[in-house]
Amino acid sequence: MRALISVYDKTNVVNLAEFLVEQQVEILSTGKTYKVLSDAGIKTQEISDYTKFPEILGGRVKTLHPKIHGGILGDREKHKAEMKNLDIEPIDLLITNLYPFWETVSSNASEEQIIEQIDIGGVALIRAAAKNFRFTSVISSIEDYETLKAEMIKNNNKTTLEYRKYLATKAFALTAHYDSNIYSWFLSQSKNDELPEFFTLYGNKVQELRYGENPHQKAAFYSNEYSKYPLEKVHGKELSYNNIVDIESALNIIDEFEEPAAVIIKHNNPCGAAIGNNVFEAYQKALSCDEISSFGGIVAFNQEIDLKLAKKLNEIFLEVIVAPSVSDEVLKVLQEKKNLRVVIRKSFQGNAKYQIKNVIGGFLVQESNDSKITTKEIQQVTECAATEKEEKDLIFAWKVCKHVKSNAIVIAKDGCAVGIGAGQTSRIDSVNIAVRKAGEKCKGAVLASDAFFPFSDSITESAKHGITAIIQPGGSLRDQDVIKTANESKISMFFTGVRNFFH
């Protein structure tokens, strides 16, 4: 049996090579790997001596040789005579890992340094060995060093076809992942604003989930180098599929604010959101929006939780609490709730560049909704002007409304959502739900709509309950009717020119 060892990451390679020598396996190795093994007293033949051809081009070419690839790819039955005539010995085992391309990108290296870390020979070796899995074993992960040992011990220094096929599956997953990283980097360097012609989707399984949206559905969480798993659970049960979906919704809203903010999510919609002088005040205000719906919800903050807030949070049943940090003292208080999950968000990066949604026959890709609106960018379209306070509340309501399922209506007052109407099939239904939830808090409050009003009925209903200002995208055929109704109702209205549907 003959093995080729060519690894960038040399962790545990000496130990593995010692095992192979004990099993009477002949070892070939490349440059630096050869030196490490030789220095450890392991008998090995350097690849250049074996091929009678030196490594060239600064190490760019060392294993790209017919004796190497012929030995890996040769069919031991069909190609036996040809291999003998060409003096090509079979290579039964490949042990390799790849240049750290993504780690180099992440280190803010120069373009030249990044290009040099695009592995050519290693990928070619892995693909060749994986293709010829009927005869060749490919170890492309340090994690499989021990499984290889166990396999060989169990099978008298051989590997089974089933095991080799398992290794080949892992190998092709690795090269697909590796090439996706390279492609993604090249795309990031492009100045073309168009969506790419090809879109690669990959990920590493971070954790198994108990189940999906429902108990009969299997689920797992996957992540990749571009979107590192940002959550660290420090207390409570494992996160569920629905927990993670709701956490994302909470964090998307939290990311809209620089001020201390709190948001409460239930079934992927906010049932409370507020800003305050501190996160304790923000939470109290958010909870006041809809305390009944908040029961069993997910709460997220953009600042550290203090002891006073922790005690307040323990007063009701919550599924998950998310914050950038908690002290040991605070965590001890939160741990009094055995089923409460406490999660630390390790980064506050914005949304990914693209959003992806599975559909029948494929998937949809769109740019993430990173639209931002300030008071300077909204257009007053009514005779009645808004006060400075109302304008601030309008912007607050607009930021929350962006993340409410369409048709979406958010009523806000004093930096707090007081009524939310989500996911209805008509806009007037969403308005009716929002004003019902807000009740008396509607008086003097403002209202945001994620899309234009097709009719003036929503304006009339808002006026009945004391709404004083409205923000909406505009663009309806009946805009003038809507503006007229607002003027008659003494409501100030602003257009953003931006629609925020969220399906």
Side-chain angles (χ1 to χ4, degrees):
M1 188 175 185
R2 183 176 291 102
L4 169 59
I5 305 179
S6 179
V7 292
Y8 180 89
D9 183 347
K10 297 171 179 59
T11 303
N12 295 334
V13 72
V14 170
N15 178 270
L16 178 61
E18 288 174 341
F19 168 81
L20 294 175
V21 170
E22 290 173 1
Q23 310 308 312
Q24 307 300 310
V25 177
E26 179 183 333
I27 297 177
L28 304 173
S29 57
T30 55
K32 293 179 181 178
T33 303
Y34 171 81
K35 185 176 187 312
V36 169
L37 297 182
S38 295
D39 288 349
I42 296 170
K43 184 180 178 182
T44 176
Q45 183 175 15
E46 190 170 10
I47 203 81
S48 298
D49 293 336
Y50 179 74
T51 62
K52 309 301 181 188
F53 199 95
E55 293 186 14
I56 62 173
L57 308 181
R60 282 191 171 190
V61 179
K62 46 194 171 191
T63 57
L64 297 170
H65 191 282
K67 286 195 72 172
I68 301 301
H69 281 273
I72 291 173
L73 277 166
D75 186 310
R76 308 306 193 256
E77 300 163 1
K78 294 180 182 178
H79 303 139
K80 184 176 181 180
E82 184 179 0
M83 290 174 71
K84 184 176 181 181
N85 289 338
L86 295 172
D87 194 27
I88 294 175
E89 297 288 347
I91 296 174
D92 311 291
L93 172 62
L94 170 68
I95 299 162
T96 192
N97 51 60
L98 304 177
Y99 292 167
F101 174 80
W102 186 251
E103 289 82 350
T104 306
V105 172
S106 302
S107 69
N108 296 316
S110 67
E111 181 175 292
E112 182 179 357
Q113 291 171 317
I114 291 170
I115 295 299
E116 282 304 314
Q117 292 301 310
I118 297 177
D119 204 315
I120 303 300
V123 172
L125 288 172
I126 288 172
R127 290 178 62 82
K131 175 177 178 176
N132 203 30
F133 67 87
R134 286 182 57 219
F135 305 100
T136 308
S137 303
V138 52
I139 301 294
S140 57
S141 168
I142 295 171
E143 295 173 358
D144 278 314
Y145 287 4
E146 294 303 316
T147 69
L148 174 66
K149 291 179 186 179
E151 178 78 3
M152 291 179 67
I153 291 170
K154 181 180 178 182
N155 296 288
N156 195 26
N157 289 352
K158 292 183 172 60
T159 57
T160 62
L161 179 63
E162 181 183 14
Y163 179 69
R164 294 194 297 274
K165 200 167 187 178
Y166 154 79
L167 294 175
T169 302
K170 286 191 69 172
F172 281 119
L174 171 65
T175 58
H177 183 175
Y178 195 78
D179 284 341
S180 290
N181 274 337
I182 296 170
Y183 174 57
S184 297
W185 178 76
F186 272 98
L187 277 182
S188 73
Q189 306 303 298
S190 172
K191 296 180 180 178
N192 188 346
D193 291 333
E194 299 297 319
L195 288 174
E197 182 178 0
F198 303 101
F199 199 94
T200 59
L201 183 62
Y202 64 92
N204 299 316
K205 186 188 288 184
V206 174
Q207 69 179 99
E208 293 276 357
L209 303 175
R210 286 192 300 161
Y211 50 79
E213 285 183 289
N214 300 289
H216 63 276
Q217 295 171 272
K218 293 180 181 179
F221 184 90
Y222 292 79
S223 189
N224 57 49
E225 288 81 356
Y226 275 92
S227 54
K228 288 288 188 181
Y229 188 58
L231 307 176
E232 179 188 1
K233 182 180 67 66
V234 294
H235 173 64
K237 298 183 296 185
E238 289 301 321
L239 294 172
S240 71
Y241 179 99
N242 292 336
N243 289 157
I244 294 172
V245 171
D246 285 343
I247 287 171
E248 181 191 30
S249 295
L251 295 181
N252 284 340
I253 298 177
I254 281 292
D255 283 347
E256 295 284 347
F257 302 102
E258 295 181 4
E259 311 96 322
V263 60
I264 305 171
I265 296 291
K266 192 76 171 287
H267 298 300
N268 210 23
N269 269 308
C271 55
I275 54 176
N277 294 317
N278 50 63
V279 286
F280 181 85
E281 180 185 352
Y283 172 67
Q284 284 188 305
K285 290 166 68 175
L287 186 62
S288 71
C289 175
D290 189 347
E291 193 161 352
I292 293 176
S293 296
S294 297
F295 183 86
I298 285 177
V299 184
F301 302 94
N302 60 358
Q303 292 186 6
E304 182 175 88
I305 298 171
D306 61 18
L307 195 58
K308 181 181 177 182
L309 177 55
K311 292 177 179 178
K312 182 69 175 176
L313 289 165
N314 275 355
E315 290 179 2
I316 68 169
F317 168 62
L318 296 170
E319 285 276 357
V320 184
I321 294 172
V322 188
S325 60
V326 294
S327 67
D328 291 342
E329 183 182 25
V330 167
L331 182 58
K332 187 175 180 180
V333 171
L334 295 175
Q335 286 173 334
E336 294 173 7
K337 296 278 190 173
K338 300 301 181 184
N339 292 325
L340 171 67
R341 301 163 177 92
V342 180
V343 175
I344 303 302
R345 184 185 183 182
K346 293 182 285 188
S347 73
F348 271 80
Q349 297 175 352
N351 290 337
K353 184 175 181 180
Y354 299 115
Q355 293 176 323
I356 304 162
K357 183 179 179 64
N358 282 354
V359 293
I360 296 172
F363 56 91
L364 301 173
V365 177
Q366 68 172 352
E367 293 179 323
S368 293
N369 184 0
D370 58 0
S371 64
K372 305 288 184 185
I373 294 294
T374 66
T375 53
K376 295 180 180 179
E377 296 166 318
I378 57 178
Q379 177 191 2
Q380 180 183 323
V381 294
T382 52
E383 298 166 358
C384 182
T387 65
E388 182 179 349
K389 175 183 173 301
E390 286 173 333
E391 287 191 10
K392 288 181 179 179
D393 278 339
L394 286 170
I395 297 300
F396 170 85
W398 180 255
K399 288 177 177 180
V400 177
C401 193
K402 172 182 171 182
H403 302 283
V404 177
K405 294 287 188 178
S406 300
N407 287 314
I409 295 292
V410 173
I411 298 173
K413 189 175 185 180
D414 299 325
C416 175
V418 296
I420 299 172
Q424 301 305 304
T425 52
S426 72
R427 194 150 299 275
I428 185 62
D429 285 345
S430 291
V431 171
N432 287 332
I433 291 172
V435 296
R436 177 174 58 80
K437 284 184 174 287
E440 290 298 311
K441 295 177 184 177
C442 277
K443 293 178 180 178
V446 306
L447 180 148
S449 172
D450 64 343
F452 62 65
F453 293 101
F455 304 99
S456 58
D457 52 357
S458 293
I459 313 304
T460 301
E461 186 65 22
S462 299
K464 286 181 186 177
H465 295 271
I467 299 296
T468 58
I470 292 175
I471 189 168
Q472 58 133 320
S476 168
L477 291 174
R478 297 182 178 84
D479 272 349
Q480 292 309 310
D481 291 341
V482 170
I483 293 170
K484 180 184 176 188
T485 302
N487 280 326
E488 291 171 350
S489 304
K490 299 293 187 285
I491 290 177
S492 59
M493 181 177 290
F494 294 82
F495 284 1
T496 64
V498 176
R499 190 182 73 182
N500 272 331
F501 270 160
F502 177 40
H503 282 78

